[in-house]
Amino acid sequence: MITLDEARVMVAEARAKGRALGLKPLSVCVLDAGGHLLAFEREDGASPGRFEIARGKAYGAVMTGLPGSAQKARAEEQGYFMAALNGVYDGRLVPVPGGVLVLKDGAVVGAVGVTGDTSDNDAAAAVAGIAAAGYAALA
């Protein structure tokens, strides 16, 4: 189980990675294994709609057990399937990189969603935050 303090580390370190890389303002969301919000921050200058995007990236990862990169590939190969799956989850999935699974001993314990820059840069920031909290990441 991800603690609140660990979730805060994930957020802080994802943001720090974004600043170190010179990324646009990031928004970072951490969810537990049930898709419940643990932590969220939106940097100054980030657009107000970023919460839903960050949450959607993390939610899609944790609900499907697939990181955003794998969801994107699946959407490209079987768009009808991802559209149907998104319908099952009331349109809350954002199937692109930046939704990263948090693993402990190989089990999914949550997900981090990052948005604000390119999807690949978002994923890199999420991985940095997850690693800083002592977990493995699947991007």
Side-chain angles (χ1 to χ4, degrees):
M1 181 174 157
I2 302 169
T3 67
L4 178 58
D5 287 340
E6 291 168 337
R8 287 177 173 158
V9 167
M10 291 177 192
V11 170
E13 293 300 320
R15 291 182 56 222
K17 180 69 170 184
R19 287 190 305 276
L21 294 174
L23 304 184
K24 295 176 184 174
L26 298 179
S27 296
V28 183
C29 179
V30 181
L31 303 180
D32 68 14
H36 303 100
L37 181 66
L38 293 171
F40 172 77
E41 287 188 14
R42 181 176 58 90
E43 291 186 321
D44 296 341
S47 62
R50 292 293 177 169
F51 170 74
E52 292 300 337
I53 298 169
R55 186 180 63 84
K57 287 182 176 188
Y59 192 80
V62 79
M63 287 297 130
T64 65
L66 298 170
S69 59
Q71 291 176 64
K72 179 184 176 194
R74 185 77 182 259
E76 290 170 347
E77 294 171 13
Q78 295 179 310
Y80 64 90
F81 175 76
M82 286 304 292
L85 192 60
N86 208 359
V88 168
Y89 291 108
D90 298 321
R92 292 185 288 174
L93 308 184
V94 179
V96 297
V100 179
L101 291 168
V102 180
L103 307 173
K104 182 174 184 176
D105 300 324
V108 174
V109 295
V112 174
V114 177
T115 183
D117 205 86
T118 67
S119 292
D120 290 336
N121 285 340
D122 293 344
V127 168
I130 293 166
Y135 289 88
L138 181 59

